Amino acid sequence: MRENSYMLKMGFTWILVVLLGGCTSSGTSSLPYDGWMLRFFTPDYMEAWIETADVVDVNKRVFLEAAWGVPAFVYPRPHSKGVPTTFRGQAPGWPEHPVGKGRRVTGAALPYLVYVRWQSMAEPQTYRAFIKIPDSVRQTMLKGERAFCRADGKWITDYRNMMVIGLAPGGITKVWLGGQCLLSTEVMRVQGKVYPKGPYDGKSNGRHRELYEESKAYIEKYGIPYESW
């Protein structure tokens, strides 16, 4: 299904390029590090599936599928089966310093826009969000900070080159910046919208991916805490 939507995404990204006429130029050679990371996570039990996360950098270059698949989550535990007698996770709210999982956006300059389309399996619903990155956030990504690394017990100059995005039911996206030895800090929040074609670009007859049994049971018992995000 990902391959079938490639041409649609190519058309979408060309539209983005046309809209980005005011981008400033800042190549990878101007970065004080090798590159930056794009990471995602979801609140406990609020499982999601990223259909695509595409990046447009400040040089108007488009990086398709910079991320896709299962974002990080704490509960339920991966490969867990059945329903526990006690739910250890808590869905409401966000962690103070999220880390997420993802990968480096290879060859990209600083981000201008991140487009993410994902299935919120807890509802279920499919959303998309256009996360336009302010210049103030890019400047933060370039600023060196003194940091202590517990792993090797050394002080270093670190950079917030890890962009962590939380995906929550209701189409909520929240963005943090962190570094190798710097705790992540919140920088922005964006309200996504329902994707009218539905899951998999409308190619699955409206069928979303399945939740773990544990997540289903949690939602049946406690509901979805929309107001907490």
Side-chain angles (χ1 to χ4, degrees):
M1 292 183 182
R2 291 171 52 230
E3 292 180 358
N4 292 340
S5 64
Y6 179 79
M7 292 307 296
L8 289 174
K9 285 191 293 184
M10 283 299 295
F12 163 75
T13 51
W14 279 115
I15 293 173
L16 283 181
V17 170
V18 172
L19 293 175
L20 299 179
C23 292
T24 58
S25 178
S26 178
T28 53
S29 61
S30 66
L31 298 179
Y33 37 77
D34 292 337
W36 59 278
M37 297 279 294
L38 181 63
R39 300 185 172 196
F40 291 89
F41 77 99
T42 59
D44 291 347
Y45 307 109
M46 303 293 113
E47 296 176 57
W49 173 264
I50 300 169
E51 294 189 345
T52 188
D54 306 327
V55 171
V56 180
D57 74 7
V58 292
N59 292 332
K60 305 180 187 178
R61 291 176 300 175
V62 178
F63 298 80
L64 294 174
E65 293 189 343
W68 62 274
V70 180
F73 58 87
V74 178
Y75 290 99
R77 295 299 192 187
H79 310 299
S80 64
K81 296 182 180 180
V83 179
T85 55
T86 302
F87 292 102
R88 298 180 61 189
Q90 296 291 328
W94 299 101
E96 187 175 3
H97 303 291
V99 177
K101 77 172 185 180
R103 60 185 180 180
R104 189 182 305 275
V105 187
T106 304
L110 291 174
Y112 179 85
L113 183 142
V114 176
Y115 168 79
V116 57
R117 188 179 74 244
W118 77 99
Q119 296 179 31
S120 172
M121 290 122 70
E123 298 172 90
Q125 186 61 272
T126 303
Y127 297 99
R128 66 178 173 184
F130 295 84
I131 305 172
K132 186 176 179 181
I133 310 301
D135 186 61
S136 59
V137 171
R138 287 191 290 272
Q139 292 305 312
T140 299
M141 295 177 72
L142 293 174
K143 182 181 178 182
E145 299 181 42
R146 191 74 171 158
F148 180 75
C149 289
R150 295 181 181 276
D152 54 14
K154 296 180 180 179
W155 285 90
I156 66 168
T157 298
D158 201 4
Y159 295 88
R160 297 188 181 277
N161 60 348
M162 297 181 183
M163 179 169 289
V164 183
I165 300 177
L167 304 174
I172 301 300
T173 68
K174 212 165 208 181
V175 183
W176 289 258
L177 290 180
Q180 178 184 354
C181 301
L182 290 168
L183 295 175
S184 56
T185 57
E186 180 185 336
V187 292
M188 60 187 297
R189 180 182 186 273
V190 173
Q191 173 65 61
K193 295 183 178 180
V194 172
Y195 185 57
K197 291 185 178 180
Y200 297 112
D201 267 327
K203 297 178 178 64
S204 66
N205 295 319
R207 292 192 301 272
H208 291 79
R209 296 176 68 88
E210 292 292 326
L211 284 168
Y212 280 104
E213 292 181 31
E214 185 175 340
S215 295
K216 285 183 181 178
Y218 180 95
I219 293 168
E220 288 174 0
K221 184 173 183 178
Y222 296 107
I224 299 176
Y226 289 102
E227 298 80 11
S228 70
W229 299 304

